[in-house]
Amino acid sequence: MADRQVGETVSNWGTDGWVVRSGAGERVALGGPHVPEVLLRGRDVAGALGVFTFDHAVISENPPHAHNGFAKIAYVLAGDYEFRVGDATFSGGPGDMVVVPKGSHHTFTTATGGKLLFVCSPSGNEEMFLEMGKLGPAATIEQLKALNERFDTVGLAGDDASWRQVQPGREDGS
């Protein structure tokens, strides 16, 4: 954000905005083929929203999960995806947007790989991935469960909201 403070007012127009240039976000190294890039953290906009992109390799399995603390949208930038949100299913390609209401179980897969833009409101999803990146690819299942608890993320019908699809070597959920 250049040489200014977030929310600095410089004229009667109000609070200044800023640009996040392509590739200038905070890339999260999860240790596998899926790479989030955080473009906007909630702390920079009074918690109103968080924004990140997610480059995906092929995802053949993605355990359903729900975030009880925020709603989000997924906007397809590249690739072909299959989404399930609640009982609704959708196919999506570039230019399509899927709405995930707060607390709705959701999942997606992609046979092509691709890139999604996520916006969550209020913020939180971006921070979850930043913390996951700090845990690294050798995170224990206990650490991932604690992460889910901190971000009020739950699996379907009491199942673990596992992140094995983004954590290498986690095919068995451990």
Side-chain angles (χ1 to χ4, degrees):
M1 288 186 302
D3 310 17
R4 64 167 202 81
Q5 297 294 315
V6 172
E8 179 181 341
T9 301
V10 296
S11 73
N12 63 359
W13 280 43
T15 303
D16 287 340
W18 61 93
V19 64
V20 179
R21 301 280 180 209
S22 179
E26 187 173 349
R27 292 180 67 81
V28 181
L30 297 176
H34 312 294
V35 182
E37 181 181 0
V38 176
L39 304 174
L40 179 68
R41 295 178 75 172
R43 69 180 188 195
D44 295 329
V45 289
L49 55 101
V51 180
F52 61 98
T53 60
F54 215 136
D55 285 302
H56 296 107
V58 170
I59 297 175
S60 58
E61 177 194 12
N62 187 353
H65 58 281
H67 307 288
N68 293 316
F70 52 83
K72 67 181 174 181
I73 61 161
Y75 183 83
V76 181
L77 297 170
D80 295 310
Y81 288 84
E82 298 297 324
F83 296 92
R84 179 168 180 185
V85 180
D87 287 328
T89 58
F90 315 95
S91 293
D96 293 332
M97 182 181 82
V98 174
V99 177
V100 181
K102 182 192 270 187
S104 289
H105 278 86
H106 58 284
T107 185
F108 63 86
T109 58
T110 174
T112 62
K115 186 172 189 173
L116 296 171
L117 172 71
F118 286 102
V119 179
C120 61
S121 179
S123 65
N125 203 188
E126 80 287 0
E127 295 296 334
M128 185 180 71
F129 281 108
L130 287 166
E131 285 196 30
M132 190 182 299
K134 289 177 186 171
L135 291 175
T140 66
I141 196 66
E142 290 79 19
Q143 288 173 310
L144 295 173
K145 284 181 179 182
L147 182 76
N148 287 333
E149 287 178 23
R150 275 196 312 283
F151 289 95
D152 201 6
T153 298
V154 296
L156 187 61
D159 285 345
D160 164 25
S162 174
W163 298 106
R164 66 183 174 265
Q165 78 276 18
V166 295
Q167 291 279 319
R170 299 246 171 251
E171 289 77 19
D172 64 353
S174 62

